[in-house]
Amino acid sequence: MDARLDYLATTTGTRSLKHFMAAGRALKESPLPAATQELVALRVSQINGCAVCVDMHTKEAAAAGETSARLHLVAVWREATVFTEAERAALELAEQGTRVADAAGGVGDECWARAAKHYEEEQLTALVILVSVMNAANRLNLIVQQPAGDYQVGQFH
């Protein structure tokens, strides 16, 4: 299976993705905990059905020491006892921020308040940008039917 389009084979794709990847690097350097970043990226990608990003973020999280139990339970985080209250607030915000059309109101005030209780402004900024960047990355991959399964840890960092 091949992707419909190779973004890096075009000048526009190469230039655009250079900046897109720079945003990802800036997020990695943010004060938002790395484990939270991977869990949020994974959950957004699960919701959007982006196999490439699920593959990438599962492998990156595992390489960083995330447990298989937590990775397996991200999709059902509400019923799982393995996540902290802060992680649960981040996952809720990620879901509402991803399902903006379904939620009809975007991220609700109660959801925002729960996230703001656990994360300071710099972390909240990173969290919101991460959700947005992941949604964009998912769409870039889904539109061209990017195949999944071959990601190597650190490949895009």
Side-chain angles (χ1 to χ4, degrees):
M1 179 174 170
D2 293 321
R4 293 174 171 164
L5 182 68
D6 179 359
Y7 293 119
L8 300 179
T10 67
T11 302
T12 299
T14 301
R15 287 180 179 168
S16 299
L17 289 180
K18 173 184 167 186
H19 298 288
F20 195 77
M21 297 302 286
R25 283 189 299 279
L27 288 167
K28 291 282 184 201
E29 297 169 3
S30 79
L32 185 64
T36 302
Q37 289 189 42
E38 292 300 339
L39 294 173
V40 164
L42 177 56
R43 185 64 189 127
V44 169
S45 300
Q46 289 172 337
I47 292 166
N48 289 326
C50 182
V52 173
C53 291
V54 167
D55 182 35
M56 176 193 314
H57 293 289
T58 301
K59 290 174 179 174
E60 289 289 346
E66 191 59 75
T67 68
S68 59
R70 284 170 43 96
L71 291 175
H72 293 304
L73 291 170
V74 168
V76 291
W77 64 266
R78 282 180 181 79
E79 294 81 22
T81 60
V82 298
F83 302 105
T84 67
E85 286 303 312
E87 290 168 337
R88 297 169 73 74
L91 290 165
E92 180 184 25
L93 189 140
E95 285 191 1
Q96 287 190 19
T98 297
R99 294 183 165 141
V100 290
D102 299 340
V107 175
D109 290 339
E110 290 179 11
C111 173
W112 183 262
R114 279 188 287 278
K117 175 181 170 187
H118 296 285
Y119 300 102
E120 48 98 306
E121 191 169 337
E122 191 75 29
Q123 293 172 314
L124 280 172
T125 300
L127 181 57
V128 170
I129 294 171
L130 174 62
V131 171
S132 300
V133 166
M134 284 311 306
N135 274 285
N138 292 165
R139 281 149 180 80
L140 285 166
N141 289 318
L142 289 166
I143 291 167
V144 300
Q145 295 182 344
Q146 190 70 40
D150 297 329
Y151 180 79
Q152 300 295 316
V153 172
Q155 182 176 337
F156 294 125
H157 302 291

